């Protein structure tokens, strides 16, 4: 053995050398002193043990006693001894090797240990707890010795920590298999199972035959098959039920009942794990479904806020590692010459979004349509002011400058759209969808290998905007010579930046309002301010980066309101808005700024969308988002 200063290792080595878990305290002190003198050059940590090692040993023994690796027996000071738990780890590990080769070898029990063994060295626990813990996260070591308490007053099973729990599980299955191989037991329990499961005779026979022939395969099927849980539970119950009638157990009976107890709790564990896996699988499917719903692009924070149909957060229904694996798989796995299903893009601010590839083109087209009116109105107003000042801008005369201006506007007004249009995957996705004729590419965004000009994407015409701006001008601007002459004298110089000035005004009638009136309105104002502040905070979480709540309202309104005529469209919009306003008037009487959260808004929106009038609208998903946005809009503008 290599030189070491670890007292736990030295104790186990000395106990094995003495062939006993009980070693005299004085003998070990002498051994340590000699060991330190011999190995101090190799291990400098042994220096404290060269003189009187007792104080240093007592200090080293404290953590070993607390972790149940040793126990000090000092009932007789002259024969003070140390019990080394690790001594039995090696002995009982050999016993489990024997059981693997011969199922009739009994489990080691507490009766196999000396009567003077200190009880505090054993980690005692009910089999329902200890097996669950070991199956979840066992870290094999040669320090711990478990005493597994089983029911029916059976002897506790001793299980060394250096043996994998799978060895104990397989040993239990092999013991049950050994019993059921016998003709009298085989036919009897098979018949009981078949009688208890009418209509499932074939499944029962397959399960029973598989277990009797190969317990390891039966254990594997136990992890994956729902029927197996039920059959296992019944088989264990039938065996225990028959043995309850027996008064005096033989060693073989004890062996079987211990094995049944272990097998039963293993069945319960895998049944529980299967339920968790199913829950996690369903939760990840819900995540996928959410990501295919408006607004189609989500940050990681947005994904973590998804809820199920009952409003319960999905995050607690799956492990964080499982979500990461799911997203990793979705963003990397792909067929030959195709992009993965889930794409990732970043905006200029560094925000990272996920979007399914079949939603990219519909989203781009929708966002372009939304920006059409906004940019058109903005440029019309701006160019009107420029023309009114007898001035011109490059984008008014040059198509390239016009497209450059439109690109700038898109970048400013909708960073998500700008990031998508400049994403490296967009051209590849265009080719892929054109080749595979996939749904979602109804409009081509490319001309050859190049993205269409922004004027084409936004359906904006430079000359039309210029003409609309000119129409707003007074009539004399259209008379060529007169317009030129007026421009010559009236053209304003370039505007200079003006320094901001601050003025403080006092109302002459301010003194007329009483302090009582101010105090009465203060509480109402503070509550309103709190609600407005909460609404703005929620708005920042629900409105995508670079967009506004008004723009989002307009976008979702166009999705759920599909009326063809203008008047019907306006009427339906007003009806829905009125319902939301009336509903919010009642809610605002009791709600506070602290309780006005995104979860609360979602609950209110869900309740309102389930009313009979709202149920008549077909696109419930878009309506649900619209209701949330409109509620925030109302409170924000109180």
């Amino acid at each position: 053995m290599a030189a070491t200063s670890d007292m736990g290792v030295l104790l186990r080595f000395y106990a094995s050398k003495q062939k006993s878990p009980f070693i005299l305290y004085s003998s070990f002190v002498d051994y340590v002193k000699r060991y330190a003198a011999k190995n101090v050059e190799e291990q400098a940590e042994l220096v404290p043990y060269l003189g009187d090692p007792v104080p240093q040993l007592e200090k080293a023994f404290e953590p070993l006693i607390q972790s149940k690796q040793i126990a000090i027996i000092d009932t007789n000071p002259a024969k003070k001894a140390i019990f080394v738990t690790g001594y039995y780890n090696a002995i009982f590990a050999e016993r489990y090797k024997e059981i693997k080769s011969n199922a009739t070898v009994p489990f080691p029990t507490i009766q196999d240990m000396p009567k003077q063994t200190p009880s505090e060295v054993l980690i005692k626990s009910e089999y329902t707890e200890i097996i669950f813990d070991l199956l979840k996260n066992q870290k094999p070591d040669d320090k711990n010795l478990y005493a597994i308490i089983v029911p029916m007053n059976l002897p506790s099973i001793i299980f060394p920590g250096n043996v994998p729990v799978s060895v104990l599980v397989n040993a239990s299955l092999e013991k049950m298999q050994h019993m059921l191989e016998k003709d009298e037991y085989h036919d009897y329990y098979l018949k009981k199972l078949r009688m208890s499961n009418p209509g499932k005779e074939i499944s029962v026979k397959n399960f029973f035959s598989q277990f009797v022939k190969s317990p390891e395969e039966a254990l594997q099927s136990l992890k994956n098959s729902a029927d197996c849980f039920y059959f296992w539970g019944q088989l264990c119950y039938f065996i225990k039920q028959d043995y309850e009638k027996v008064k005096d157990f033989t060693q073989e009976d004890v062996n079987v009942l211990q094995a049944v107890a272990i097998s039963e709790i293993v069945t319960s564990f895998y049944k529980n794990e299967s339920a968790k896996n199913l829950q996690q699988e369903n939760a990840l499917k819900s995540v996928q479904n959410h990501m295919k719903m408006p607004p189609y692009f989500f940050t990681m924070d947005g994904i973590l806020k998804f809820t199920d149909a009952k409003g319960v957060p999905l995050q607690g229904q799956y492990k964080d590692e499982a979500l990461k694996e799911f997203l990793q798989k979705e963003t990397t796995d792909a067929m030959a010459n195709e992009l993965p299903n889930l794409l990732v893009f970043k905006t200029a601010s560094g925000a990272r979004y996920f979007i399914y590839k079949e939603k990219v083109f519909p989203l781009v087209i929708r966002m372009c349509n939304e920006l059409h009116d906004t940019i058109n109105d903005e440029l019309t107003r701006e160019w009107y002011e420029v023309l009114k000042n007898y001035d011109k801008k490059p984008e008014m005369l040059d198509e390239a400058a016009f497209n450059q201006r439109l690109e700038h506007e898109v970048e400013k007004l909708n960073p998500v759209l700008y990031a998508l249009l400049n994403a490296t995957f967009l051209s590849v996705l265009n080719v892929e969808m054109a080749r595979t004729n996939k749904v979602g590419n109804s409009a081509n965004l490319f001309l050859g290998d190049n993205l269409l000009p922004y004027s084409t994407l936004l359906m904006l015409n430079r000359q039309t905007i210029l003409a609309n701006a000119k129409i707003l001008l007074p009539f004399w601007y259209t008379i060529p010579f007169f317009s030129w002459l007026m421009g010559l004298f009236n053209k304003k110089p370039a505007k200079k930046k003006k320094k901001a000035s601050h003025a403080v005004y006092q109302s002459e009638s301010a003194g007329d309002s009483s302090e009582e009136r101010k105090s009465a309105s203060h509480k109402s104002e503070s509550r309103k301010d709190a609600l407005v502040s909460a609404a703005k905070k929620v708005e920042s979480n629900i409105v995508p980066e670079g967009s506004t709540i008004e723009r989002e309202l307009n976008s979702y309104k166009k999705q759920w309101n599909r009326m063809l005529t203008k008047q019907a469209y306006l009427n339906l919009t007003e009806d829905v808005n009125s319902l939301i306003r009336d509903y919010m008037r009642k809610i605002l009487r009791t709600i506070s700024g602290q309780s006005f959260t995104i979860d609360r808004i979602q609950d209110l929106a869900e309740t309102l969308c389930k009313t009979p009038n709202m149920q008549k609208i077909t696109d419930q998903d878009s309506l649900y988002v619209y209701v949330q946005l409109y509620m925030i809009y109302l409170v924000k503008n109180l």
Side-chain angles (χ1 to χ4, degrees):
M1 182 184 72
T4 179
S5 59
D6 188 333
M7 283 301 113
V9 174
L10 287 176
L11 282 164
R12 289 192 293 274
F13 175 75
Y14 189 71
S16 63
K17 190 176 179 181
Q18 298 294 317
K19 296 184 179 180
S20 172
F22 298 94
I23 57 178
L24 286 174
Y25 195 96
S26 57
S27 297
F28 185 70
V29 170
D30 293 338
Y31 169 75
V32 170
K33 192 172 182 179
R34 294 194 307 272
Y35 183 87
K38 183 179 178 181
N39 297 282
V40 70
E41 293 183 3
E42 189 177 344
Q43 283 285 336
E45 292 84 355
L46 294 172
V47 171
Y49 300 102
L50 291 174
D52 181 10
V54 174
Q56 191 65 26
L57 280 174
E58 289 180 351
K59 185 178 179 181
F61 286 166
E62 287 179 6
L64 298 177
I65 294 171
Q66 291 177 0
S67 60
K68 300 181 182 291
Q69 295 183 49
I70 64 169
I72 305 297
I73 304 171
D74 56 356
T75 52
N76 185 349
K79 295 183 179 180
K80 186 177 180 181
I82 307 169
F83 180 87
V84 183
T85 310
Y87 175 81
Y88 276 109
N89 282 72
I91 291 176
F92 290 138
E94 288 298 321
R95 173 76 73 86
Y96 279 94
K97 288 182 181 179
E98 293 178 29
I99 296 174
K100 187 174 182 180
S101 58
N102 184 1
T104 60
V105 175
F107 284 120
T109 66
I110 202 166
Q111 297 172 353
D112 294 326
M113 302 182 72
K115 292 183 179 179
Q116 61 270 36
T117 300
S119 60
E120 62 266 23
V121 299
L122 296 173
I123 301 176
K124 295 182 180 180
S125 183
E126 293 288 338
Y127 75 113
T128 52
E129 297 177 5
I130 199 166
I131 298 299
F132 257 75
D133 292 340
L134 291 173
L135 285 169
K136 277 184 179 179
N137 48 12
Q138 183 191 15
K139 297 178 180 178
D141 60 67
D142 56 356
K143 301 173 183 177
N144 297 325
L145 199 61
Y146 299 96
I148 303 174
I149 303 171
V150 289
M152 299 178 70
N153 294 320
L154 298 171
S156 298
I157 299 173
I158 300 299
F159 183 68
N162 60 331
V163 175
V165 68
S166 58
V167 173
L168 175 63
V169 174
N170 289 327
S172 300
L173 296 178
E174 287 171 3
K175 287 180 180 296
M176 289 181 64
Q177 178 206 29
H178 179 72
M179 180 194 75
L180 295 173
E181 280 180 332
K182 299 176 182 179
D183 292 340
E184 63 271 23
Y185 292 116
H186 182 282
D187 296 339
Y188 172 71
Y189 285 111
L190 176 57
K191 184 178 179 181
K192 290 193 78 169
L193 279 175
R194 294 176 70 174
M195 290 178 64
S196 300
N197 297 278
K200 294 185 177 181
E201 288 82 0
I202 296 177
S203 298
V204 168
K205 185 177 180 181
N206 291 337
F207 158 77
F208 198 83
S209 300
Q210 183 187 43
F211 172 60
V212 173
K213 290 178 182 178
S214 178
E216 292 183 0
E217 290 184 11
L219 178 62
Q220 189 60 37
S221 65
L222 180 64
K223 298 177 182 179
N224 305 313
S225 173
D227 282 342
C228 275
F229 298 133
Y230 184 66
F231 295 150
W232 269 105
Q234 279 192 320
L235 181 59
C236 292
Y237 172 76
F238 290 146
I239 295 174
K240 287 194 303 181
Q241 187 182 46
D242 289 339
Y243 274 95
E244 284 177 356
K245 303 170 186 176
V246 179
K247 294 183 179 180
D248 297 321
F249 293 144
T250 64
Q251 181 59 56
E252 184 179 357
D253 296 339
V254 171
N255 237 3
V256 170
L257 288 172
Q258 287 173 329
V260 168
I262 300 298
S263 302
E264 194 172 31
I265 200 62
V266 169
T267 302
S268 178
F269 172 81
Y270 284 118
K271 182 179 180 181
N272 186 49
E273 288 296 302
S274 178
K276 287 182 179 179
N277 291 337
L278 181 61
Q279 182 190 50
Q280 179 170 278
E281 184 180 340
N282 290 335
L284 292 176
K285 285 182 179 178
S286 296
V287 168
Q288 187 179 46
N289 291 336
H290 273 288
M291 294 180 72
K292 293 183 178 181
M293 294 166 61
Y296 306 124
F297 57 98
F298 301 92
T299 62
M300 179 60 79
D301 288 341
I303 293 172
L304 294 176
K305 293 177 182 177
F306 288 158
T307 59
D308 60 16
K310 297 180 180 179
V312 179
L314 291 172
Q315 187 178 6
Q317 300 178 35
Y318 56 74
K319 295 179 181 178
D320 291 341
E321 295 78 9
L323 178 63
K324 289 179 182 177
E325 289 177 7
F326 166 76
L327 294 176
Q328 178 71 16
K329 182 179 180 182
E330 289 289 281
T331 53
T332 54
D333 289 1
M335 297 178 66
N337 300 319
E338 287 192 11
L339 290 168
N341 290 328
L342 191 62
L343 303 175
V344 183
F345 66 95
K346 283 186 178 182
T347 59
S349 65
R352 187 167 177 260
Y353 290 95
F354 297 90
I355 183 171
Y356 274 96
K357 64 182 180 182
E358 66 267 23
K359 302 298 182 182
V360 171
F361 282 95
L363 179 64
V364 168
I365 294 167
R366 193 198 86 190
M367 286 182 165
C368 286
N369 290 338
E370 292 170 7
L371 283 182
H372 171 85
D373 293 340
T374 304
I375 296 177
N376 181 74
D377 294 344
E378 181 179 338
L379 291 181
T380 301
R381 285 194 300 270
E382 180 184 324
W383 290 5
Y384 163 73
E385 294 295 335
V386 171
L387 293 172
K388 188 178 178 183
N389 195 31
Y390 300 97
D391 202 356
K392 291 181 180 179
K393 283 194 170 186
E395 56 262 34
M396 299 166 67
L397 306 173
D398 181 64
E399 191 67 21
F402 178 66
N403 277 292
Q404 189 174 359
R405 172 63 189 277
L406 292 179
E407 182 178 358
H408 173 72
E409 290 297 321
V410 170
E411 183 179 10
K412 179 181 71 173
L413 296 173
N414 196 329
V416 172
L417 174 59
Y418 184 77
L420 282 172
L421 291 174
N422 289 276
T424 55
F425 59 72
L426 194 64
S427 58
V428 181
L429 181 61
N430 181 70
V431 173
E432 178 185 320
M433 289 198 165
R435 184 181 68 248
T436 56
N437 294 320
K438 287 186 178 179
V439 177
N441 193 23
S442 55
N444 197 342
L445 304 180
F446 286 79
L447 182 62
D449 295 331
N450 299 317
L451 186 70
L452 290 172
Y454 277 81
S455 57
T456 305
L457 293 172
L458 298 170
M459 293 180 291
L460 292 172
N461 187 283
R462 175 176 58 84
Q463 295 176 345
T464 302
I465 297 174
L466 186 59
N468 291 337
K470 287 180 178 179
I471 291 173
L472 300 174
L473 294 170
F475 75 93
W476 59 79
Y477 279 80
T478 60
I479 303 173
F481 176 76
F482 187 73
S483 175
W484 172 82
L485 188 63
M486 291 291 290
L488 189 64
F489 292 99
N490 295 333
K491 185 175 181 180
K492 295 179 181 180
K495 291 183 180 180
K496 296 182 180 178
K497 291 184 178 178
K498 297 181 180 180
K499 293 183 178 179
S501 59
H502 301 277
V504 179
Y505 295 94
Q506 281 189 329
S507 173
E508 293 180 359
S509 59
D512 298 338
S513 58
S514 65
E515 290 297 325
E516 290 80 3
R517 188 174 179 181
K518 290 181 181 179
S519 177
S521 63
H522 179 71
K523 187 175 181 180
S524 176
E525 289 295 322
S526 62
R527 180 173 174 272
K528 183 184 77 172
D529 291 343
L531 281 168
V532 172
S533 178
K536 290 178 179 179
K537 184 178 179 181
V538 174
E539 178 189 8
S540 65
N541 292 329
I542 197 171
V543 176
E545 178 188 5
S547 185
T548 63
I549 194 167
E550 291 81 3
R551 197 182 306 156
E552 291 299 308
L553 280 168
N554 187 50
S555 171
Y556 283 103
K557 179 171 63 178
K558 291 177 181 178
Q559 293 180 56
W560 61 259
N561 192 342
R562 298 175 182 175
M563 292 296 179
L564 298 178
T565 63
K566 183 177 181 180
Q567 192 58 45
Y569 179 88
L570 295 174
N571 290 342
L572 179 58
T573 301
E574 181 55 31
D575 290 343
V576 170
N577 289 348
S578 297
L579 281 173
I580 301 173
R581 287 196 296 269
D582 293 342
Y583 184 63
M584 287 303 293
R585 285 193 191 98
K586 300 175 184 177
I587 297 299
L588 288 173
R589 294 172 186 169
T590 57
I591 199 169
S592 64
Q594 189 176 3
S595 61
F596 193 78
T597 62
I598 185 64
D599 293 334
R600 177 66 170 150
I601 294 166
Q602 288 175 346
D603 291 339
L604 294 173
E606 185 177 0
T607 302
L608 187 57
C609 287
K610 288 181 179 178
T611 57
N613 289 333
M614 290 291 210
Q615 286 290 310
K616 295 177 182 178
I617 297 174
T618 54
D619 192 347
Q620 285 289 309
D621 293 334
S622 299
L623 178 65
Y624 173 63
V625 179
Y626 178 84
V627 172
Q628 295 178 56
L629 290 167
Y630 197 68
M631 286 178 173
I632 297 169
Y633 176 80
L634 291 173
V635 176
K636 176 187 170 185
N637 292 282
L638 280 175

